[in-house]
Amino acid sequence: MDIKQHLNDQRLLVETALNTFLPKEEGLLADHFAALRYSLVAGGKRIRPVLCMMTAEALGARMEACMAIPCALECIHTYSLIHDDLPAMDNDDLRRGKPTNHKVFGEAQAILAGDGLLTMAFALLSDDALPDRLSSADRLRIIHLIARAAGSHGMVGGQALDVASEGKTVPFETLAAIHASKTGALITASVQAGAILGGATTAQYEDLTAYGQHLGLAFQITDDLLNVEGSPAELGKAAGSDAARRKATYPGFFGVETTRRKAGEAIKAAVDRLAPFGTTATPLRELARYLLKRSK
Ligand code: GRG
């Protein structure tokens, strides 16, 4: 299959749906809604929503009526990028090839845009008027797992550990915990949400969870490599920032060559967990292989 084309098609579906869920830029809150829209439609690979969709589709689900859940994942991810770029955190000027949210709207409005996107995600997830035919129990399971993955036990906790570790010499266990929680948790949750949408059995859910965990690790290792070797023009953000901030990274621990091998091993481990699935899981397999070769 042409995974690049398939990813592009899926990305367009996500972007169309995001547009329908975003509040219109009118009325008293027009400027606030413009700040949400600015970052949400600024591009990006849409990996988390696409993973959710591909997982559900691997189990035979059709996603047309279920787009609120993938869109909620993208809202949470975009909020995290807006806050990560703030002066109090990474103080970055460029994201997805455009000036960062706080550069355009100011720091206070950027914080609020992030807050708005995070809470909008949970409004989308909990809207039981949606035509996705989820049972209330499954909807609650999805809300709970995404809340845990986004919060202190997941992405927020990983970011806290990352910020606290900057400029320090930390053991590999700390780096592993940062990667698993800051990046891995939301990626895994995207797969798990798709598994629930698709009606996974317990065994299928376990395999898909492991796929998500290995993929999340490979994704972050590749991000570490791109920060060393990538081009700012292609990345749409600064490169070399990890070394400048003395962040713990895989290349810092293992060097570039071993890191590349470890990324390949994580992708293989991810794909191996898809062995019980048939051809409907081909997009998940191809996506994993594609992420290893990504340049942005
Ligand atoms: C501020 C709570 C809070 C969390 C921030 C996501 C994050 C946590 C920080 C961004 C910095 C970073 C390099 C994180 C690692 C995860 C990662 C690779 C994020 C970028 O995700 P992509 O590559 O971005 O999916 P696009 O722009 O394609 O959506």
Side-chain angles (χ1 to χ4, degrees):
M1 76 176 298
D2 183 348
I3 185 66
K4 243 178 146 173
Q5 184 59 48
H6 188 60
L7 273 175
N8 209 33
D9 295 344
Q10 299 277 83
R11 190 175 56 72
L12 290 177
L13 285 178
V14 172
E15 285 169 4
T16 305
L18 282 171
N19 258 309
T20 66
F21 292 125
L22 264 173
K24 294 218 173 3
E25 286 163 46
E26 54 194 25
L28 278 179
L29 288 171
D31 290 348
H32 173 62
F33 295 148
L36 303 193
R37 179 177 291 274
Y38 177 81
S39 291
L40 203 54
V41 304
K45 297 179 288 297
R46 316 301 190 190
I47 290 302
R48 296 150 192 84
V50 167
L51 267 173
C52 174
M53 293 157 71
M54 282 182 176
T55 305
E57 284 165 354
L59 296 166
R62 295 177 62 86
M63 286 304 293
E64 291 84 2
C66 304
M67 291 305 291
I69 290 166
C71 287
L73 290 160
E74 188 64 19
C75 288
I76 295 171
H77 170 59
T78 304
Y79 123 76
S80 80
L81 298 180
I82 296 174
H83 282 196
D84 185 65
D85 290 333
L86 287 167
M89 297 219 198
D90 276 1
N91 195 17
D92 275 319
D93 294 349
L94 206 60
R95 169 72 66 181
R96 293 174 164 173
K98 288 172 47 173
T100 44
N101 197 290
H102 66 272
K103 283 278 159 194
V104 178
F105 297 94
E107 207 175 327
Q109 292 299 342
I111 293 171
L112 292 165
D115 295 341
L117 285 172
L118 174 61
T119 37
M120 191 172 110
F122 286 94
L124 283 176
L125 291 170
S126 58
D127 186 348
D128 60 9
L130 289 168
D132 56 20
R133 294 210 240 138
L134 267 179
S135 68
S136 299
D138 280 347
R139 189 179 304 287
L140 202 55
R141 258 179 95 195
I142 290 178
I143 294 169
H144 183 71
L145 76 87
I146 293 179
R148 274 192 73 90
S152 298
H153 295 286
M155 186 176 68
V156 168
Q159 179 79 348
L161 206 50
D162 194 18
V163 169
S165 305
E166 251 181 52
K168 293 188 188 145
T169 306
V170 294
F172 176 70
E173 290 67 33
T174 304
L175 173 67
I178 292 171
H179 281 8
S181 46
K182 189 176 87 169
T183 316
L186 196 61
I187 288 182
T188 305
S190 303
V191 174
Q192 289 172 322
I196 295 172
L197 274 169
T201 62
T202 305
Q204 287 172 329
Y205 189 80
E206 278 171 16
D207 281 328
L208 290 165
T209 297
Y211 165 83
Q213 288 165 338
H214 291 303
L215 189 77
L217 173 62
F219 189 82
Q220 181 58 61
I221 299 180
T222 313
D223 202 71
D224 285 358
L225 279 170
L226 287 173
N227 199 280
V228 176
E229 301 184 312
S231 99
E234 209 163 351
L235 291 172
K237 61 182 180 182
S241 52
D242 288 345
R245 292 199 180 92
R246 294 186 47 230
K247 282 197 183 200
T249 63
Y250 261 67
F253 267 96
F254 301 109
V256 165
E257 279 321 306
T258 305
T259 299
R260 215 187 303 279
R261 181 170 53 73
K262 285 184 182 287
E265 286 166 3
I267 290 295
K268 184 181 177 312
V271 173
D272 284 352
R273 291 304 291 256
L274 298 176
F277 300 85
T279 53
T280 53
T282 300
L284 288 176
R285 294 184 188 96
E286 292 299 318
L287 173 66
R289 295 182 185 119
Y290 177 76
L291 286 183
L292 192 58
K293 292 182 260 162
R294 73 193 176 100
S295 58
K296 64 176 185 175

